[in-house]
Amino acid sequence: MADSAKLMEQFEGTAHGHQVPSSGWRICLAHEFAEKRKPYKASDVSAYDVVKYLGLGMRYLRWWYRKTHVEKKCPVIDLFNPLPLRQIYGCPLGGFGGGTITRGWRGEFCRWQLNPGVYHYKTVVADQFTVCLRRKGRTVYQQVLSVERPSVLQGWNWGYCSHYAFYHALYPRAWTVYQLPGQDVVLTCRQVSPIIPHNYQDTSLPVGVFVWELENGSDEAVDVSIMLTLRNGMGTKEDKRGGHWNEPFSLEKEGARVSGVLLHHCSPMIPYTLAISAKEQAGTGVTHFTAFNPAGTGQAVWQDLLQDGRLDSPAGKGSLTEKGEVTAAAVCATCTVPAQGHRTLELGLAWDMPRIHFGSKEKLHLRRYTRYFGSAGDACPALSHYALTHYEQWEEKIESWQRPILESSHLPPWYKSALFNELYFVADGGTLWLELPPEACAEDVQGPAGAGLSQIFPVLREYGRFAYLEGQEYRMYNTYDVHFYASFALAMLWPKLEISLQYDIAAAVLNEDTQPRLYLMNGQTAQVKLKNVVPHDIGDPEDEPWQRVNAYLIHDTAGWKDLNLKFVLQVYRDYYLTQDTAYLQDMWPVCQAVMDLELKFDTDDDGLIENSGFADQTYDAWVATGASAYCGSLWLAAVCVMCKVAGIVGDGEVLQKYSAIRRKGAEAFERLLWNGKYYNYDSSGGPFSSTVMSDQCAGQWFLRASGLDHSEFQVFPRSHILSALKTIFELNVMGFANGTMGAVNGMRPDGSLDTSSLQSSEAWVGVVYALAATMIQEVGVARS
């Protein structure tokens, strides 16, 4: 033990001359222990374990070094550079697929996701709102609406007292209320993004609107100015490369004028333009400051505003920045608020990065919004004008969507908040929404083996391609095993995007990639993608998604038991919600193909698939052997779907086949896994076989959500489901952090954590929400 511990200590110190955080190797070791189904404790580390651990670690390190230092790309999973948890983020700005800019709950612009799949966690100090109040021709109050006290721009009045501000978010809107101390003035900034269910145009727009409601509680009129300042860039070193420039603009159309400043960011890789603007109307003046140095004191723009509550509005373009220089701009909206009165100012933020490429730089792609605003890179004036003249319509649609839920007395506040605020990731998940190229043809999207997908080309042509990352640290697009949990957001609110995504997955299923790949877990080489197997993901943003799938390289997912099943379940769920018969007809042969392949995992012909003794499902560090509650329940649910769809399409032979499997499999599932209170984790009889898994009812959840909860499709006895959910609630929920952190994935029957793997002792957000949904469904049925 002493020798192995010393070896670990030495290896964790340095590797190839690079300092390596021990957390990365600990995760690798946890994966190794998962393969052995034993608790991960330091005292259990043997010399053999260390050798295995170093093998996986060295394979990962070689891959990581090649990716970061040779290819100069970001790895899809970077164990050495984990992101710190920072509880500063608020509601992101922007629609789907054009990039997002996130404001923190303290008002700062603090996260940027414009380049495909890339985040910049930079709080850009110069990006601020400032208020100026004037009474009787004299400035009486001027304040940056930020609690920060930065080391730059010290000519500005920082340090707004947080006691006088309040933030509230209900995605896609957010409100910040400022009670200006001693002024009898209250400012409410309402932030609006165009996230509108069943809307496939405005929801794609890279814009945000700030509606400032100004309330004057005093007995005399006050002139109020709101100034928005913005740095040219995202706070990265690219801002200093030189060649960037700003220019004022004004656009009048359909009786409305919008004015502001364009900030052209001339990156040689993917150039883009930012725009800050305000809407002019009767009684509202809009002025600007074309360029100032955000790294200096900021005295020029501050004094300009202080002098008369307006900016000088110089004409003409600003000069190009030199290397090492940065530049910023300002726009200001001003109006007079009468005594005891109320007025509104409207400001906007837009960005235009119409043409993008992925890390491979093989293809140029156009974002969805270019269909409506062009791809020349000059859309910011039109985007700004459109946003500031249409946001009221957006809000009407948002309110009509949210009102029935918000006004329901039967729903608790946490539920209402979760339904809307957790949707942010659909926009902010490194999301892409791309147009097919004008020259594209059917084979380009269906591949050589996808000719049977008759609707794939018209669907993708009309609605584009949609993708989002598994997470900000797991940078793979449309990771399918977890999309299974998140997919209801698209299927219920933007079903055409879910259908589009499913067609891309189906095309990937039918095609193969024969290139060999070394998988890190076992060090073996296997084919990247087999035919008739659902891919783990649609690709890496540093490569060429859709063209090359399966960026995940820890395990060979061809042997995973859940991916094919989740495809079948989602196909029927999508049909159930959309009644799209052409979609179902296209997907039926694909469902048969993946289920026929899945049948090979039923090694004993009892109608129930078996796990293979490695982490062969979404819990990729948690081993199951034999029949398992998770994969078994998904299997039986998918078998029910095959019976249902066979009946719809009139395929009697398939119906007979899977009806027999359903009967056998349901009996085997109960016999092998039911213990009188819940379903065991697996049937291996090992020391952790009786673990209570929070996700054991996943199949029942999906069946009921798809309307298959009656007669022959009631494959799981209701009394067993209710008993299992009760056990999970008592142990995994209330027995974990006193019920304050959701449901832990695995809990022992005695109330102790399952420590057989890293993942068994974690709580996963998607799983917790799925469990909560299952409980709500079952309780609702019981009450009815």
Short mmCIF file of all heavy atoms in Angstrom, two decimals, residues 436-447 453 456-458 460-461 465:
data_model
loop_
_atom_site.label_atom_id
_atom_site.label_comp_id
_atom_site.label_asym_id
_atom_site.label_seq_id
_atom_site.Cartn_x
_atom_site.Cartn_y
_atom_site.Cartn_z
N LEU A 436 -29.49 24.86 -43.96
CA LEU A 436 -28.82 24.03 -44.96
C LEU A 436 -28.25 24.93 -46.05
O LEU A 436 -28.87 25.93 -46.41
CB LEU A 436 -29.80 23.04 -45.59
CG LEU A 436 -30.24 21.83 -44.75
CD1 LEU A 436 -31.07 20.90 -45.63
CD2 LEU A 436 -29.07 21.10 -44.14
N PRO A 437 -27.08 24.61 -46.58
CA PRO A 437 -26.55 25.40 -47.68
C PRO A 437 -27.49 25.38 -48.87
O PRO A 437 -28.19 24.38 -49.12
CB PRO A 437 -25.22 24.70 -48.02
CG PRO A 437 -24.89 23.88 -46.82
CD PRO A 437 -26.19 23.50 -46.19
N PRO A 438 -27.57 26.45 -49.63
CA PRO A 438 -28.48 26.49 -50.80
C PRO A 438 -28.22 25.36 -51.79
O PRO A 438 -29.15 24.87 -52.44
CB PRO A 438 -28.18 27.86 -51.43
CG PRO A 438 -27.60 28.68 -50.32
CD PRO A 438 -26.85 27.73 -49.44
N GLU A 439 -26.97 24.94 -51.88
CA GLU A 439 -26.63 23.90 -52.85
C GLU A 439 -26.81 22.49 -52.31
O GLU A 439 -26.55 21.50 -53.01
CB GLU A 439 -25.16 24.07 -53.30
CG GLU A 439 -24.11 23.79 -52.23
CD GLU A 439 -23.85 24.97 -51.29
OE1 GLU A 439 -24.62 25.96 -51.36
OE2 GLU A 439 -22.88 24.89 -50.51
N ALA A 440 -27.26 22.35 -51.05
CA ALA A 440 -27.39 21.02 -50.43
C ALA A 440 -28.43 20.18 -51.16
O ALA A 440 -29.43 20.69 -51.69
CB ALA A 440 -27.76 21.17 -48.97
N CYS A 441 -28.21 18.88 -51.18
CA CYS A 441 -29.17 17.94 -51.74
C CYS A 441 -29.51 16.89 -50.68
O CYS A 441 -28.91 16.86 -49.61
CB CYS A 441 -28.62 17.27 -53.00
SG CYS A 441 -27.15 16.26 -52.70
N ALA A 442 -30.46 16.02 -50.98
CA ALA A 442 -30.94 15.05 -50.00
C ALA A 442 -29.82 14.16 -49.49
O ALA A 442 -29.73 13.88 -48.29
CB ALA A 442 -32.06 14.21 -50.61
N GLU A 443 -28.95 13.68 -50.38
CA GLU A 443 -27.90 12.76 -49.93
C GLU A 443 -26.92 13.42 -48.98
O GLU A 443 -26.30 12.76 -48.15
CB GLU A 443 -27.16 12.16 -51.13
CG GLU A 443 -26.14 11.13 -50.70
CD GLU A 443 -25.78 10.14 -51.80
OE1 GLU A 443 -26.60 9.93 -52.71
OE2 GLU A 443 -24.68 9.59 -51.72
N ASP A 444 -26.78 14.74 -49.07
CA ASP A 444 -25.87 15.43 -48.17
C ASP A 444 -26.29 15.28 -46.71
O ASP A 444 -25.45 15.30 -45.81
CB ASP A 444 -25.80 16.93 -48.51
CG ASP A 444 -25.15 17.18 -49.85
OD1 ASP A 444 -24.36 16.34 -50.30
OD2 ASP A 444 -25.45 18.23 -50.46
N VAL A 445 -27.59 15.16 -46.46
CA VAL A 445 -28.06 15.08 -45.08
C VAL A 445 -28.47 13.67 -44.67
O VAL A 445 -28.44 13.34 -43.48
CB VAL A 445 -29.24 16.05 -44.85
CG1 VAL A 445 -28.77 17.48 -44.97
CG2 VAL A 445 -30.39 15.79 -45.79
N GLN A 446 -28.82 12.82 -45.62
CA GLN A 446 -29.26 11.48 -45.26
C GLN A 446 -28.15 10.45 -45.35
O GLN A 446 -28.25 9.36 -44.78
CB GLN A 446 -30.42 11.03 -46.15
CG GLN A 446 -30.03 10.77 -47.61
CD GLN A 446 -31.22 10.66 -48.52
OE1 GLN A 446 -32.28 11.20 -48.23
NE2 GLN A 446 -31.05 9.97 -49.65
N GLY A 447 -27.06 10.81 -46.05
CA GLY A 447 -25.97 9.87 -46.19
C GLY A 447 -26.29 8.77 -47.18
O GLY A 447 -27.43 8.64 -47.66
N LEU A 453 -35.42 7.84 -45.58
CA LEU A 453 -35.91 8.97 -44.78
C LEU A 453 -36.47 10.02 -45.73
O LEU A 453 -35.84 11.03 -46.04
CB LEU A 453 -34.77 9.55 -43.93
CG LEU A 453 -34.13 8.57 -42.93
CD1 LEU A 453 -32.90 9.19 -42.28
CD2 LEU A 453 -35.15 8.15 -41.87
N ILE A 456 -36.57 13.82 -44.54
CA ILE A 456 -35.44 14.47 -43.88
C ILE A 456 -35.02 15.75 -44.59
O ILE A 456 -34.79 16.78 -43.95
CB ILE A 456 -34.24 13.50 -43.73
CG1 ILE A 456 -33.10 14.20 -42.94
CG2 ILE A 456 -33.74 13.00 -45.07
CD1 ILE A 456 -31.97 13.26 -42.59
N PHE A 457 -34.96 15.71 -45.90
CA PHE A 457 -34.49 16.90 -46.61
C PHE A 457 -35.49 18.05 -46.53
O PHE A 457 -35.11 19.17 -46.20
CB PHE A 457 -34.16 16.56 -48.07
CG PHE A 457 -33.52 17.69 -48.81
CD1 PHE A 457 -32.26 18.15 -48.47
CD2 PHE A 457 -34.18 18.32 -49.87
CE1 PHE A 457 -31.67 19.20 -49.14
CE2 PHE A 457 -33.60 19.36 -50.55
CZ PHE A 457 -32.34 19.81 -50.19
N PRO A 458 -36.77 17.83 -46.81
CA PRO A 458 -37.70 18.96 -46.67
C PRO A 458 -37.78 19.50 -45.23
O PRO A 458 -37.93 20.70 -45.03
CB PRO A 458 -39.05 18.39 -47.13
CG PRO A 458 -38.87 16.93 -47.26
CD PRO A 458 -37.42 16.66 -47.43
N LEU A 460 -35.32 19.49 -42.88
CA LEU A 460 -34.12 20.26 -42.59
C LEU A 460 -34.03 21.51 -43.46
O LEU A 460 -33.51 22.54 -43.01
CB LEU A 460 -32.87 19.39 -42.80
CG LEU A 460 -32.72 18.17 -41.89
CD1 LEU A 460 -31.37 17.52 -42.08
CD2 LEU A 460 -32.91 18.55 -40.43
N ARG A 461 -34.52 21.44 -44.65
CA ARG A 461 -34.53 22.63 -45.51
C ARG A 461 -35.43 23.71 -44.91
O ARG A 461 -35.09 24.90 -44.92
CB ARG A 461 -34.99 22.26 -46.92
CG ARG A 461 -35.22 23.44 -47.84
CD ARG A 461 -33.92 24.20 -48.12
NE ARG A 461 -33.11 23.53 -49.10
CZ ARG A 461 -31.81 23.78 -49.29
NH1 ARG A 461 -31.21 24.68 -48.53
NH2 ARG A 461 -31.11 23.14 -50.20
N ARG A 465 -31.00 22.88 -38.99
CA ARG A 465 -30.41 21.88 -38.10
C ARG A 465 -30.21 22.51 -36.72
O ARG A 465 -29.74 23.64 -36.62
CB ARG A 465 -29.07 21.41 -38.65
CG ARG A 465 -29.20 20.33 -39.69
CD ARG A 465 -27.85 19.86 -40.19
NE ARG A 465 -27.93 18.46 -40.61
CZ ARG A 465 -27.02 17.86 -41.37
NH1 ARG A 465 -25.97 18.52 -41.81
NH2 ARG A 465 -27.17 16.59 -41.70
#
